Amino acid sequence: MANTETILKEATTVIDGAVGAALVDYTSGMALGTIGGGKDLDLQVAAAGNTDVVRAKVRTMEQLGLKDEIEDILITLGTQYHLIRLLKGRNHNGLFLYLALDKNRSNLAMARHQLKKIEADLEL
């Protein structure tokens, strides 16, 4: 089992093309930890903004009466992928992993697979 700092470091070193990662509490919009980013990617702002995305999708699913769970949400930009993975399991409710990837240096399928493995190792 790994802590927040360890899994974020793993996400940015193991996943090709990763430019930043955050563990986010979407009940508050606060990042519990971040790694990477920079002047072009403020992970605190991304955490708050992506919280709105997650809340909107959860609300929409409720309004539609969908009895399913969100695995992940993908946002495709011109030069980046932004991947939001909602965490499952005990002590993980209300949390998501956010990963920003350089589109030219990443493999989206592998990134999703590796992020799922990283989630399994997270202990809070």
Side-chain angles (χ1 to χ4, degrees):
M1 295 292 188
N3 65 18
T4 302
E5 183 180 336
T6 304
I7 62 116
L8 292 176
K9 185 178 276 188
E10 182 178 351
T12 56
T13 56
V14 172
I15 300 175
D16 290 336
V19 294
L23 177 65
V24 182
D25 176 348
Y26 69 82
T27 58
S28 69
M30 298 294 295
L32 303 177
T34 63
I35 191 168
K39 67 176 179 70
D40 295 331
L41 179 62
D42 184 327
L43 290 170
Q44 298 296 331
V45 172
N50 285 311
T51 292
D52 292 338
V53 171
V54 170
R55 288 178 183 163
K57 188 59 188 173
V58 168
R59 188 173 47 253
T60 301
M61 288 177 63
E62 288 171 356
Q63 291 171 345
L64 292 171
L66 298 177
K67 306 292 183 213
D68 210 341
E69 294 180 338
I70 300 169
E71 260 187 57
D72 57 39
I73 298 169
L74 172 64
I75 300 167
T76 305
L77 305 177
T79 60
Q80 294 180 342
Y81 294 121
H82 291 210
L83 189 57
I84 301 167
R85 180 165 184 84
L86 276 69
L87 302 184
K88 309 284 186 277
R90 68 182 166 85
N91 301 328
H92 294 168
N93 283 342
L95 301 177
F96 66 85
L97 281 168
Y98 166 71
L99 181 66
L101 299 160
D102 180 313
K103 220 171 159 179
N104 293 322
R105 297 185 302 122
S106 63
N107 177 320
L108 185 56
M110 284 303 297
R112 289 182 71 220
H113 175 73
Q114 289 168 320
L115 203 54
K116 185 176 182 177
K117 284 176 54 177
I118 290 168
E119 173 193 1
D121 291 336
L122 177 62
E123 181 177 291
L124 297 175

